[in-house]
Amino acid sequence: MARLRLRIVKTPQEPPWREVVLDPPGEYILGRDPRVHLFIPDKYISRRHLRILYKNGKWMIEDLGSRNGTLLDDTQIQGKGPVELPSKGELVVGLTVIELEQLGGDKVEEGGKEEAKKG
């Protein structure tokens, strides 16, 4: 099973995390609410902006009806339901830019990464 790495490359405010690796299976919520799995203090991100989930052997992303939408590789995914993630890509939520990368196998490089709490 592939793990999913998220790396914040641009954000207007210092986030509580810069890089995180997600483990399948699982469902993770990203948003401005400090109680979500992936909290980002960007005022243009909704409290519960999007979810990332591992379903049927694939990583998927779904905008949860956010006010400002979600761009995946320059394509608006708001209102499209769960969308399959590419092996590498760029996610834009609010003013925050996140690089996505699926990691093969179970081996993950060390160095300042956090593990996200599962939903």
Side-chain angles (χ1 to χ4, degrees):
M1 283 188 254
R3 299 171 89 190
L4 182 66
R5 179 184 348 207
L6 285 74
R7 180 179 297 139
I8 296 176
V9 294
K10 180 182 172 189
T11 190
Q13 221 177 318
E14 186 62 31
W17 58 278
R18 280 276 172 199
E19 185 172 313
V20 67
V21 176
L22 307 180
D23 288 313
E27 182 174 309
Y28 304 88
I29 303 295
L30 181 145
R32 189 171 36 90
D33 185 335
R35 296 172 293 188
V36 300
H37 309 107
L38 302 165
F39 166 63
I40 301 176
D42 176 339
K43 67 181 180 179
Y44 295 98
I45 293 177
S46 297
R47 287 179 182 89
R48 293 176 52 88
H49 196 98
L50 62 85
R51 71 180 179 139
I52 298 171
L53 65 149
Y54 192 79
K55 184 177 179 181
N56 299 325
K58 297 176 185 176
W59 282 105
M60 311 288 285
I61 186 168
E62 181 178 16
D63 184 282
L64 297 174
S66 68
R67 182 177 200 149
N68 294 312
T70 301
L71 293 177
L72 176 60
D73 292 333
D74 297 320
T75 300
Q76 181 60 253
I77 64 164
Q78 186 178 31
K80 295 186 177 179
V83 174
E84 186 176 346
L85 288 174
S87 59
K88 285 187 176 186
E90 182 179 86
L91 186 63
V92 179
V93 289
L95 299 177
T96 300
V97 179
I98 302 169
E99 290 178 347
L100 305 167
E101 180 181 9
Q102 294 190 42
L103 306 171
D106 296 327
K107 185 178 178 185
V108 177
E109 303 165 15
E110 295 298 320
K113 295 173 186 58
E114 289 188 31
E115 298 290 327
K117 54 190 176 189
K118 290 184 184 177

PDB file of all heavy atoms in Angstrom, residues 90-108:
ATOM      1  N   GLU A  90       0.062  18.925  -7.196  1.00  0.00           N
ATOM      2  CA  GLU A  90       0.040  20.141  -6.397  1.00  0.00           C
ATOM      3  C   GLU A  90      -1.395  20.461  -6.023  1.00  0.00           C
ATOM      4  O   GLU A  90      -2.288  20.452  -6.859  1.00  0.00           O
ATOM      5  CB  GLU A  90       0.650  21.301  -7.173  1.00  0.00           C
ATOM      6  CG  GLU A  90       0.700  22.601  -6.389  1.00  0.00           C
ATOM      7  CD  GLU A  90       1.322  23.715  -7.169  1.00  0.00           C
ATOM      8  OE1 GLU A  90       0.584  24.377  -7.923  1.00  0.00           O
ATOM      9  OE2 GLU A  90       2.548  23.919  -7.027  1.00  0.00           O
ATOM     10  N   LEU A  91      -1.590  20.763  -4.760  1.00  0.00           N
ATOM     11  CA  LEU A  91      -2.891  21.077  -4.209  1.00  0.00           C
ATOM     12  C   LEU A  91      -2.863  22.529  -3.746  1.00  0.00           C
ATOM     13  O   LEU A  91      -1.929  22.948  -3.068  1.00  0.00           O
ATOM     14  CB  LEU A  91      -3.135  20.142  -3.028  1.00  0.00           C
ATOM     15  CG  LEU A  91      -4.465  20.137  -2.330  1.00  0.00           C
ATOM     16  CD1 LEU A  91      -5.564  19.687  -3.284  1.00  0.00           C
ATOM     17  CD2 LEU A  91      -4.404  19.222  -1.124  1.00  0.00           C
ATOM     18  N   VAL A  92      -3.890  23.317  -4.129  1.00  0.00           N
ATOM     19  CA  VAL A  92      -4.000  24.698  -3.663  1.00  0.00           C
ATOM     20  C   VAL A  92      -5.312  24.828  -2.903  1.00  0.00           C
ATOM     21  O   VAL A  92      -6.388  24.576  -3.449  1.00  0.00           O
ATOM     22  CB  VAL A  92      -3.945  25.716  -4.827  1.00  0.00           C
ATOM     23  CG1 VAL A  92      -4.092  27.134  -4.296  1.00  0.00           C
ATOM     24  CG2 VAL A  92      -2.647  25.579  -5.609  1.00  0.00           C
ATOM     25  N   VAL A  93      -5.202  25.204  -1.624  1.00  0.00           N
ATOM     26  CA  VAL A  93      -6.356  25.440  -0.764  1.00  0.00           C
ATOM     27  C   VAL A  93      -6.147  26.800  -0.115  1.00  0.00           C
ATOM     28  O   VAL A  93      -5.125  27.029   0.520  1.00  0.00           O
ATOM     29  CB  VAL A  93      -6.533  24.329   0.297  1.00  0.00           C
ATOM     30  CG1 VAL A  93      -7.001  23.039  -0.330  1.00  0.00           C
ATOM     31  CG2 VAL A  93      -5.264  24.067   1.060  1.00  0.00           C
ATOM     32  N   GLY A  94      -7.098  27.709  -0.305  1.00  0.00           N
ATOM     33  CA  GLY A  94      -6.910  29.062   0.192  1.00  0.00           C
ATOM     34  C   GLY A  94      -5.664  29.664  -0.429  1.00  0.00           C
ATOM     35  O   GLY A  94      -5.483  29.621  -1.649  1.00  0.00           O
ATOM     36  N   LEU A  95      -4.765  30.186   0.414  1.00  0.00           N
ATOM     37  CA  LEU A  95      -3.491  30.736  -0.063  1.00  0.00           C
ATOM     38  C   LEU A  95      -2.342  29.761   0.158  1.00  0.00           C
ATOM     39  O   LEU A  95      -1.179  30.120   0.022  1.00  0.00           O
ATOM     40  CB  LEU A  95      -3.191  32.061   0.653  1.00  0.00           C
ATOM     41  CG  LEU A  95      -4.213  33.175   0.444  1.00  0.00           C
ATOM     42  CD1 LEU A  95      -3.843  34.400   1.270  1.00  0.00           C
ATOM     43  CD2 LEU A  95      -4.340  33.538  -1.030  1.00  0.00           C
ATOM     44  N   THR A  96      -2.668  28.524   0.476  1.00  0.00           N
ATOM     45  CA  THR A  96      -1.676  27.503   0.796  1.00  0.00           C
ATOM     46  C   THR A  96      -1.473  26.557  -0.375  1.00  0.00           C
ATOM     47  O   THR A  96      -2.434  26.108  -1.000  1.00  0.00           O
ATOM     48  CB  THR A  96      -2.120  26.711   2.053  1.00  0.00           C
ATOM     49  OG1 THR A  96      -2.247  27.627   3.149  1.00  0.00           O
ATOM     50  CG2 THR A  96      -1.127  25.627   2.414  1.00  0.00           C
ATOM     51  N   VAL A  97      -0.203  26.265  -0.665  1.00  0.00           N
ATOM     52  CA  VAL A  97       0.174  25.335  -1.732  1.00  0.00           C
ATOM     53  C   VAL A  97       0.827  24.118  -1.076  1.00  0.00           C
ATOM     54  O   VAL A  97       1.746  24.255  -0.264  1.00  0.00           O
ATOM     55  CB  VAL A  97       1.142  25.984  -2.738  1.00  0.00           C
ATOM     56  CG1 VAL A  97       1.545  24.990  -3.825  1.00  0.00           C
ATOM     57  CG2 VAL A  97       0.517  27.233  -3.347  1.00  0.00           C
ATOM     58  N   ILE A  98       0.340  22.929  -1.450  1.00  0.00           N
ATOM     59  CA  ILE A  98       0.824  21.678  -0.873  1.00  0.00           C
ATOM     60  C   ILE A  98       1.249  20.746  -2.006  1.00  0.00           C
ATOM     61  O   ILE A  98       0.491  20.513  -2.940  1.00  0.00           O
ATOM     62  CB  ILE A  98      -0.274  20.991  -0.036  1.00  0.00           C
ATOM     63  CG1 ILE A  98      -0.748  21.921   1.079  1.00  0.00           C
ATOM     64  CG2 ILE A  98       0.210  19.661   0.522  1.00  0.00           C
ATOM     65  CD1 ILE A  98      -1.994  21.447   1.799  1.00  0.00           C
ATOM     66  N   GLU A  99       2.463  20.209  -1.908  1.00  0.00           N
ATOM     67  CA  GLU A  99       2.909  19.180  -2.852  1.00  0.00           C
ATOM     68  C   GLU A  99       2.468  17.824  -2.325  1.00  0.00           C
ATOM     69  O   GLU A  99       2.590  17.551  -1.129  1.00  0.00           O
ATOM     70  CB  GLU A  99       4.430  19.185  -2.982  1.00  0.00           C
ATOM     71  CG  GLU A  99       4.992  20.383  -3.693  1.00  0.00           C
ATOM     72  CD  GLU A  99       6.510  20.364  -3.753  1.00  0.00           C
ATOM     73  OE1 GLU A  99       7.162  19.566  -3.042  1.00  0.00           O
ATOM     74  OE2 GLU A  99       7.047  21.186  -4.508  1.00  0.00           O
ATOM     75  N   LEU A 100       1.959  16.989  -3.223  1.00  0.00           N
ATOM     76  CA  LEU A 100       1.520  15.633  -2.883  1.00  0.00           C
ATOM     77  C   LEU A 100       2.425  14.633  -3.581  1.00  0.00           C
ATOM     78  O   LEU A 100       2.795  14.836  -4.743  1.00  0.00           O
ATOM     79  CB  LEU A 100       0.094  15.394  -3.376  1.00  0.00           C
ATOM     80  CG  LEU A 100      -0.991  16.369  -2.929  1.00  0.00           C
ATOM     81  CD1 LEU A 100      -2.243  16.160  -3.759  1.00  0.00           C
ATOM     82  CD2 LEU A 100      -1.287  16.166  -1.472  1.00  0.00           C
ATOM     83  N   GLU A 101       2.745  13.549  -2.894  1.00  0.00           N
ATOM     84  CA  GLU A 101       3.520  12.486  -3.523  1.00  0.00           C
ATOM     85  C   GLU A 101       3.162  11.158  -2.879  1.00  0.00           C
ATOM     86  O   GLU A 101       3.211  11.017  -1.667  1.00  0.00           O
ATOM     87  CB  GLU A 101       5.016  12.734  -3.372  1.00  0.00           C
ATOM     88  CG  GLU A 101       5.861  11.660  -4.015  1.00  0.00           C
ATOM     89  CD  GLU A 101       7.351  11.890  -3.853  1.00  0.00           C
ATOM     90  OE1 GLU A 101       7.759  12.790  -3.099  1.00  0.00           O
ATOM     91  OE2 GLU A 101       8.104  11.145  -4.483  1.00  0.00           O
ATOM     92  N   GLN A 102       2.793  10.195  -3.727  1.00  0.00           N
ATOM     93  CA  GLN A 102       2.538   8.844  -3.234  1.00  0.00           C
ATOM     94  C   GLN A 102       3.873   8.131  -3.127  1.00  0.00           C
ATOM     95  O   GLN A 102       4.679   8.148  -4.058  1.00  0.00           O
ATOM     96  CB  GLN A 102       1.590   8.109  -4.164  1.00  0.00           C
ATOM     97  CG  GLN A 102       0.206   8.743  -4.168  1.00  0.00           C
ATOM     98  CD  GLN A 102      -0.824   7.918  -4.879  1.00  0.00           C
ATOM     99  OE1 GLN A 102      -0.855   6.695  -4.730  1.00  0.00           O
ATOM    100  NE2 GLN A 102      -1.689   8.576  -5.629  1.00  0.00           N
ATOM    101  N   LEU A 103       4.096   7.516  -1.978  1.00  0.00           N
ATOM    102  CA  LEU A 103       5.342   6.813  -1.700  1.00  0.00           C
ATOM    103  C   LEU A 103       5.111   5.325  -1.855  1.00  0.00           C
ATOM    104  O   LEU A 103       4.174   4.789  -1.271  1.00  0.00           O
ATOM    105  CB  LEU A 103       5.826   7.120  -0.281  1.00  0.00           C
ATOM    106  CG  LEU A 103       5.972   8.601   0.058  1.00  0.00           C
ATOM    107  CD1 LEU A 103       6.235   8.769   1.545  1.00  0.00           C
ATOM    108  CD2 LEU A 103       7.068   9.226  -0.763  1.00  0.00           C
ATOM    109  N   GLY A 104       5.941   4.656  -2.621  1.00  0.00           N
ATOM    110  CA  GLY A 104       5.773   3.226  -2.836  1.00  0.00           C
ATOM    111  C   GLY A 104       6.201   2.418  -1.634  1.00  0.00           C
ATOM    112  O   GLY A 104       7.113   2.788  -0.908  1.00  0.00           O
ATOM    113  N   GLY A 105       5.538   1.306  -1.398  1.00  0.00           N
ATOM    114  CA  GLY A 105       5.902   0.389  -0.328  1.00  0.00           C
ATOM    115  C   GLY A 105       5.720   0.979   1.050  1.00  0.00           C
ATOM    116  O   GLY A 105       5.015   1.953   1.249  1.00  0.00           O
ATOM    117  N   ASP A 106       6.404   0.382   2.030  1.00  0.00           N
ATOM    118  CA  ASP A 106       6.258   0.792   3.420  1.00  0.00           C
ATOM    119  C   ASP A 106       7.416   1.630   3.922  1.00  0.00           C
ATOM    120  O   ASP A 106       7.387   2.141   5.017  1.00  0.00           O
ATOM    121  CB  ASP A 106       6.126  -0.442   4.321  1.00  0.00           C
ATOM    122  CG  ASP A 106       4.866  -1.224   3.996  1.00  0.00           C
ATOM    123  OD1 ASP A 106       3.871  -0.579   3.623  1.00  0.00           O
ATOM    124  OD2 ASP A 106       4.889  -2.446   4.099  1.00  0.00           O
ATOM    125  N   LYS A 107       8.497   1.761   3.113  1.00  0.00           N
ATOM    126  CA  LYS A 107       9.677   2.479   3.572  1.00  0.00           C
ATOM    127  C   LYS A 107       9.466   3.973   3.384  1.00  0.00           C
ATOM    128  O   LYS A 107       9.103   4.438   2.323  1.00  0.00           O
ATOM    129  CB  LYS A 107      10.901   2.022   2.778  1.00  0.00           C
ATOM    130  CG  LYS A 107      12.184   2.626   3.284  1.00  0.00           C
ATOM    131  CD  LYS A 107      13.359   2.108   2.504  1.00  0.00           C
ATOM    132  CE  LYS A 107      14.632   2.753   2.994  1.00  0.00           C
ATOM    133  NZ  LYS A 107      15.779   2.370   2.200  1.00  0.00           N
ATOM    134  N   VAL A 108       9.739   4.727   4.440  1.00  0.00           N
ATOM    135  CA  VAL A 108       9.609   6.186   4.394  1.00  0.00           C
ATOM    136  C   VAL A 108      10.902   6.786   4.904  1.00  0.00           C
ATOM    137  O   VAL A 108      11.457   6.338   5.906  1.00  0.00           O
ATOM    138  CB  VAL A 108       8.427   6.661   5.272  1.00  0.00           C
ATOM    139  CG1 VAL A 108       8.345   8.166   5.287  1.00  0.00           C
ATOM    140  CG2 VAL A 108       7.129   6.073   4.768  1.00  0.00           C
TER     141      VAL A 108
END
